[in-house]
Structures are given as C-alpha cells and as structure tokens.
C-alpha cells in the first residue's frame, strides 16, 4: 500500500533511471509533481519527465466520512461559483503529460502542445482548518508563479481555478484571483473556469486534469462551457472582480 511503490514500479517497467517520485500534497499532488518535474528539467537533472496523477475510489470509507462531514454535493453535481454550491463530487480518472525542455523538444521534432512558462508551490501556514483555504497564501502563490514565468497579471486571459464547488472555498479563491489580476490597466476580462464542473474532483489527479484542459483550451482557442452554473454565488463580489 506504499505510494512510493507505484513510481518505482513504473520506473522498473519503463527502465527509467532518473528521479522517480510519488508526490502526496492531497488535491494539488499532480500540480506539485509538475512543478518538481519542471525544476528537474531546468536543473538538467532530467531530460524528460512523465507527470501523472490517478484517483481510484476502491473503498467506501472515505466517501462515507466526507458525506457525514457535509463535504460532498448531495446531487452529485459540482456547482463551482454558483449560488447553489454545496460541496464537491469525488470522481475517478488518470492523466499524464510529457515534459521536456523546449529546445530539446524542437530539436527532436516533437509536437509541442504548450509551454509551461513558470510554476510555484506554497502552503497556507496557520489557517482556520484543514478544508478552509487561506486567501493571502493563494494570492502569494499565483504572484510567485507569474514572477517565475516572467509575466504580468495583464498577460493572463484565462485561469483554470481549483473551484471545488463549496460555499467556503469558491469565494476565497475568487477574491484571491481578483486581488492578483484586477489591475487598473487590465483591458480585457479574465475568464475563469473549473474542469470539476465537467468531471468532478479527481483529488490527487485534479491538477494534471486541469493542466490538460488548459492545454486543450489553448490548442483549440476556445473555452469549454462551465457547467452547472445558473446564478452567481452571492458571497463573491462579482462587480469588483475583473
């Protein structure tokens, strides 16, 4: 049952010799893995990285606990940023992306789908609870990612939000994003979405699924519909957000 065995077994099957890591940071696990992989590539510790996340619901205990804690949407629908947001939806799935340094990918004739300009990771520190996000920490990590990418807030036109569809987390995240991207010089609105309205919350795999959605959004130059949205969450001050 040790999660380290999964990465080691994959390395064994594929005969990989570089770093083989299982990352557990709960819902951000696969995004944290992408961050570590990009650092490994930048530092020339690795020349190619496979970044993946998988979530399988193989036993009922966690779901029962979350139901009893009132964390899950009773209707099985993730209603991110909606007035009726009442919990998230557990779901299963797997996603993998292949990362290389851009120059190496171009030299090798690879089909480049997107460029990962920068990334950042931080922690909430002392917050009001395990499931309660910390707005200033969310704001700080987004600013750190922009700095790492060499971008300004106005350069960003779309954010793929964590957006779990909870009455507590959604307003905190929206406010943090507004604080970063609501500049006086912004000329176009910031588009906001969450793949959880399409697929549910893949927990450890949620990050890589959001990353894949964003890559497809860029490739197709089209934002897919944000589902289960009928009335804006009144706890979010939409009129002051960009």
């Amino acid at each position: 049952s040790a999660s380290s065995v999964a990465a080691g077994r994959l390395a064994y099957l594929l005969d990989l010799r570089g770093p083989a890591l299982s990352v557990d940071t709960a819902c951000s696990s696969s995004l944290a893995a992408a961050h570590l992989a990009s650092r490994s590539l930048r530092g020339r510790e690795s020349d190619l990285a496979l970044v993946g996340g998988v979530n399988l619901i193989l036993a009922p205990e966690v779901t029962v606990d979350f139901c009893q804690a009132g964390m899950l949407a009773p209707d099985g629908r993730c209603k991110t940023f909606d007035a009726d947001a009442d919990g998230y939806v557990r779901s299963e799935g797997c996603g993998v992306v292949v990362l290389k340094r851009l120059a190496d990918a171009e030299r090798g004739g690879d089909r480049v789908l997107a460029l990962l300009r920068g990334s950042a990771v931080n922690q909430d520190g002392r917050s009001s609870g395990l499931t309660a996000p910390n707005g200033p920490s969310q704001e700080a990590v987004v600013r750190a990612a922009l700095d790492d990418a060499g971008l300004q807030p106005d350069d960003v036109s779309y954010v793929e939000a964590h957006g779990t569809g909870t009455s507590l987390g959604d307003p905190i995240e929206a406010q943090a994003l507004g604080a970063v991207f609501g500049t006086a010089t912004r000329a176009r609105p910031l588009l906001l979405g969450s793949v959880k309205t399409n697929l549910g919350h893949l927990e450890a795999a949620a990050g890589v699924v959001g990353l894949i959605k964003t890559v497809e959004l860029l490739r197709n130059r089209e934002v897919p519909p944000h589902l289960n949205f009928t009335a804006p969450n009144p706890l979010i001050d939409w009129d002051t957000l960009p």
Side-chain angles (χ1 to χ4, degrees):
S1 62
S3 60
S4 57
V5 175
R9 190 64 181 173
L10 288 170
Y12 167 78
L13 289 169
L14 299 173
D15 194 25
L16 304 178
R17 307 302 174 92
L21 309 177
S22 293
V23 180
D24 182 4
T25 58
C27 305
S28 62
S29 294
S30 48
L31 279 184
H35 171 78
L36 293 172
S38 67
R39 290 298 191 269
S40 183
L41 290 164
R42 286 182 179 186
R44 298 191 174 274
E45 178 186 45
S46 306
D47 294 322
L48 181 147
L50 301 176
V51 178
V54 60
N55 194 48
L56 295 174
I57 302 172
L58 303 177
E61 288 82 6
V62 172
T63 301
V64 171
D65 288 344
F66 286 179
C67 284
Q68 292 175 341
M71 296 169 60
L72 303 184
D75 60 358
R77 295 286 183 270
C78 182
K79 299 174 283 293
T80 304
F81 302 125
D82 189 76
D84 291 331
D86 56 358
Y88 83 92
V89 181
R90 302 191 75 202
S91 60
E92 298 181 305
C94 175
V96 180
V97 296
V98 181
L99 303 184
K100 294 176 73 173
R101 290 182 292 272
L102 179 60
D104 292 346
E106 292 175 336
R107 189 180 306 112
D110 297 324
R111 186 164 58 113
V112 179
L113 302 182
L115 181 62
L116 183 60
R117 293 283 298 269
S119 62
V121 172
N122 75 354
Q123 235 290 336
D124 276 354
R126 186 172 294 163
S127 60
S128 58
L130 177 65
T131 60
N134 184 313
S137 292
Q138 289 188 349
E139 181 181 338
V141 79
V142 173
R143 292 190 188 280
L146 288 170
D147 289 342
D148 188 57
L151 296 173
Q152 297 299 316
D154 289 358
D155 296 325
V156 177
S157 57
Y158 175 82
V159 169
E160 172 63 20
H162 183 49
T164 52
T166 62
S167 58
L168 175 66
D170 287 358
I172 293 174
E173 182 174 15
Q175 188 62 41
L177 293 172
V180 175
F181 295 104
T183 64
T185 55
R186 175 167 288 278
R188 55 185 175 180
L190 181 76
L191 302 179
L192 189 63
S194 173
V195 74
K196 293 178 180 65
T197 66
N198 305 92
L199 301 176
H201 190 351
L202 277 83
E203 298 171 343
V208 73
V209 170
L211 178 58
I212 290 170
K213 172 197 168 179
T214 307
V215 170
E216 289 300 296
L217 180 152
L218 291 169
R219 289 182 64 208
N220 293 286
R221 307 187 71 82
E222 183 176 3
V223 180
H226 182 89
L227 304 183
N228 309 320
F229 188 84
T230 55
N233 189 324
L235 299 176
I236 300 174
D237 190 3
W238 297 103
D239 292 337
T240 65
L241 296 178

